[in-house]
Amino acid sequence: MREAFIYKTAPFSHLISPTLEKASCCHLFTCKDGGVSEGYFKSFNFAAGSGELCDSWENVVENHRLAAEYMGFTKEDICRSYQTHSLEVRVVDRSYRGKGLVHPPFDCGVDGLVCKEEGVLLSVRGADCVTVLLYDGKNRVCGACHSGWRGTLGKIAAKTALSMCAIGAEAEHIVAAIGPSARSCCYNVGEELYESFLAQDVSNRAFFQNRDGKLYLDLQGAVVSALEEAGLKEENIADGGECSICNENRYFSHRRSGVLRGTMAGFIGIREG
Ligand SMILES: [Zn+2]
């Protein structure tokens, strides 16, 4: 379901999903502005980067602190994914607090996180890749994942929802929000990627558009479809419709800027009390 996310500029730029808010879910998707990073990473950047020029880890940690404290958490409450385009989802708890930010507490790539304990703030990142935040308000279970094209092909969003159900959530009560990411208006992809999706399931053809001889992938459509397969109701899946590639003023984009750019984050957690 498409819904307009609420865009706020103070104390930093971010988006809120009305569907998640209605479920009393503490969450947000960050945008570009309001952080402390400079240069290519200006300014609300959540990853040091992988190019020759990197942002300082101090800046990255400070940006996490700003987001966490605004949400009623501390930076020590953050459990941050260790993203490698894997299909790995981990259940985390309070023992992960204080470890997730500086020292990733995982022995391998972990692109999905689920949690049912209070006081843990889950964090996933993207700069064109889809970030998905999930919450079951009845059973108080939250989840988050990073779903680039590989994760989307492997249905990591569905795996994350099912992992939530394994610790007490019920699919019919899960609401999900799809953050700013590369959309089919801009996300031109190659033939190989098309073949990979079709090799998995010919019905995946529905997620590709052919315009002027070029292929465009609807990542969000594929994520929604995977979540529906996991049992989520269509009306409980909120797609903000925000494209990171063509909205330069608001979002970082790998497609637009390569490695010399910042990375946005999605946060979700169950507050204490
Ligand atoms: Zn676009």
Side-chain angles (χ1 to χ4, degrees):
M1 168 262 298
R2 275 289 188 98
E3 81 172 357
F5 285 179
I6 301 159
Y7 177 59
K8 296 185 179 181
T9 54
F12 47 73
S13 62
H14 64 282
L15 294 166
I16 297 288
S17 155
T19 293
L20 265 61
E21 192 163 66
K22 205 172 140 204
S24 304
C25 170
C26 182
H27 76 286
L28 59 80
F29 294 101
T30 68
C31 304
K32 262 173 120 172
D33 299 326
V36 298
S37 301
E38 296 286 349
Y40 293 112
F41 307 98
K42 192 175 172 65
S43 64
F44 210 18
N45 171 43
F46 288 85
S50 56
E52 277 180 32
L53 268 172
C54 287
D55 195 5
S56 79
W57 190 247
E58 276 175 12
N59 286 344
V60 172
V61 171
E62 175 61 8
N63 289 333
H64 280 85
R65 186 189 69 79
L66 289 168
E69 292 191 1
Y70 174 68
M71 295 176 75
F73 292 81
T74 69
K75 74 173 194 289
E76 284 75 24
D77 296 333
I78 295 171
C79 181
R80 188 173 182 264
S81 55
Y82 181 50
Q83 296 177 185
T84 61
H85 299 278
S86 74
L87 300 177
E88 192 70 26
V89 180
R90 288 288 170 89
V91 179
V92 298
D93 56 33
R94 292 166 73 95
S95 70
Y96 284 79
R97 296 197 300 184
K99 296 181 189 170
L101 194 49
V102 181
H103 307 291
F106 306 112
D107 51 7
C108 64
V110 173
D111 289 66
L113 299 167
V114 301
C115 183
K116 64 176 178 182
E117 293 192 0
E118 294 177 346
V120 183
L121 185 58
L122 306 182
S123 162
V124 291
R125 298 169 305 290
D128 290 343
C129 290
V130 182
T131 48
V132 188
L133 303 177
L134 307 104
Y135 185 61
D136 172 346
K138 178 173 174 249
N139 299 293
R140 300 193 89 207
V141 181
C142 65
C145 71
H146 158 252
S147 183
W149 73 261
R150 290 182 194 84
T152 302
L153 178 62
K155 302 183 182 179
I156 191 169
K159 285 192 74 174
T160 305
L162 295 173
S163 297
M164 289 170 67
C165 293
I167 58 170
E170 295 166 280
E172 66 190 280
H173 295 299
I174 298 177
V175 291
I178 295 175
S181 42
R183 299 189 72 92
S184 59
C185 46
C186 299
Y187 191 39
N188 175 220
V189 297
E191 195 75 31
E192 287 167 18
L193 206 146
Y194 177 72
E195 295 301 335
S196 305
F197 273 75
L198 259 62
Q200 187 201 58
D201 189 334
V202 287
S203 69
N204 284 339
R205 185 177 284 128
F207 305 126
F208 290 84
Q209 298 166 10
N210 195 322
R211 302 198 302 267
D212 300 327
K214 290 180 175 175
L215 280 167
Y216 295 85
L217 172 56
D218 174 15
L219 280 172
Q220 296 74 19
V223 169
V224 169
S225 167
L227 288 171
E228 286 179 348
E229 269 179 46
L232 272 70
K233 294 178 182 170
E234 193 271 338
E235 67 266 29
N236 286 344
I237 308 168
D239 176 359
E242 299 287 317
C243 178
S244 50
I245 300 176
C246 59
N247 203 335
E248 186 171 359
N249 291 333
R250 208 183 270 189
Y251 307 118
F252 297 118
S253 163
H254 184 81
R255 179 61 64 94
R256 212 179 50 234
S257 314
V259 293
L260 295 175
R261 44 94 191 148
T263 301
M264 300 169 295
F267 289 94
I268 188 166
I270 307 166
R271 266 196 298 249
E272 288 174 323

